[in-house]
Amino acid sequence: MGDLMDVTATADELLTRVGRGDQRAFEELYGQVSGPVYGLVRRVLRDPAQSEEVTQEVLLELWRTAARYDRDRGGALSWVLTLAHRRAVDRVRSVRAAGEREERVARRADTPAFDQVAEEVESGLERDWVRRCLGRLTDLQRQAVTLAYYDGYTYREVARRLSVPLGTVKTRMRDGLLRLRSCLDGASA
């Protein structure tokens, strides 16, 4: 827990400096917060491409609005993650609204927009395959992959959280990802 407090204190100082236009501080802050921001956004959006896009939007917004950060109202990491959550929720709403607009237009044109049931079934099957394939990993591989890809931690952070050497995490990740790819390739065949 001590490491997180150190990062938060550093992030507080960096965000204050970013608010004054310090580019180096922004680069350092970017390195600290991009993983947690992506992890949070990914949990909300679930789509990797949209999650990357929203993460970049959040970090750009962070650069533009850092001067609004008030250290007395909370920690920098909390502030940044609040920005990320709001932006991710806005994207969900925007995508939902766009989908509803497309559906209305398609109904008016008297043509089916898409087979929603088939889409939901296919999406559910994909999630089931991913869960099934994750279940085929060793516990150690599954922990490392889950922390890195679903929770947004860097390999170094995963190593700290699991109290294992960085090289061990890299090996677990490589082996786990190879097994996942093989399993998922079998699912799509």
Side-chain angles (χ1 to χ4, degrees):
M1 192 69 165
D3 284 348
L4 185 58
M5 295 305 280
D6 293 343
V7 167
T8 302
T10 304
D12 291 344
E13 176 58 30
L14 289 171
L15 187 53
T16 301
R17 288 175 31 208
V18 170
R20 290 186 229 126
D22 184 339
Q23 245 179 321
R24 286 185 192 256
F26 179 72
E27 291 170 9
E28 196 172 328
L29 183 63
Y30 184 101
Q32 286 184 15
V33 302
S34 60
V37 166
Y38 178 79
L40 174 71
V41 170
R42 180 71 194 268
R43 279 192 296 273
V44 174
L45 296 178
R46 294 192 180 100
D47 177 66
Q50 281 198 34
S51 297
E52 289 173 6
E53 186 177 310
V54 169
T55 297
Q56 289 305 312
E57 291 172 7
V58 167
L59 294 169
L60 181 60
E61 181 179 356
L62 175 64
W63 171 253
R64 287 191 304 234
T65 64
R68 294 183 198 159
Y69 169 64
D70 181 0
R71 200 176 204 165
D72 296 332
R73 295 185 70 198
L77 188 57
S78 296
W79 189 75
V80 172
L81 292 177
T82 299
L83 289 176
H85 187 262
R86 286 179 184 157
R87 183 63 67 117
V89 169
D90 286 347
R91 177 62 63 97
V92 168
R93 289 177 181 151
S94 173
V95 167
R96 186 175 296 142
E100 291 170 1
R101 273 192 307 274
E102 287 175 15
E103 262 188 79
R104 284 192 304 271
V105 168
R107 269 184 276 163
R108 272 188 244 135
D110 210 25
T111 58
F114 63 94
D115 187 345
Q116 185 174 358
V117 173
E119 289 283 328
E120 288 177 13
V121 167
E122 187 174 323
S123 179
L125 289 173
E126 288 171 1
R127 278 193 300 276
D128 290 344
W129 269 110
V130 170
R131 273 193 218 107
R132 196 171 298 134
C133 290
L134 277 171
R136 292 182 181 169
L137 301 180
T138 66
D139 288 340
L140 301 174
Q141 289 169 341
R142 186 173 37 259
Q143 283 178 314
V145 168
T146 300
L147 286 170
Y149 287 93
Y150 288 103
D151 295 337
Y153 291 103
T154 65
Y155 284 12
R156 194 171 308 284
E157 291 169 331
V158 171
R160 260 189 252 129
R161 289 185 66 86
L162 297 178
S163 301
V164 296
L166 180 59
T168 303
V169 166
K170 289 180 179 181
T171 301
R172 288 178 187 170
M173 292 292 295
R174 184 193 68 230
D175 294 347
L177 291 173
L178 287 172
R179 288 179 78 177
L180 272 175
R181 178 182 294 148
S182 174
C183 179
L184 291 171
D185 284 346
S188 64

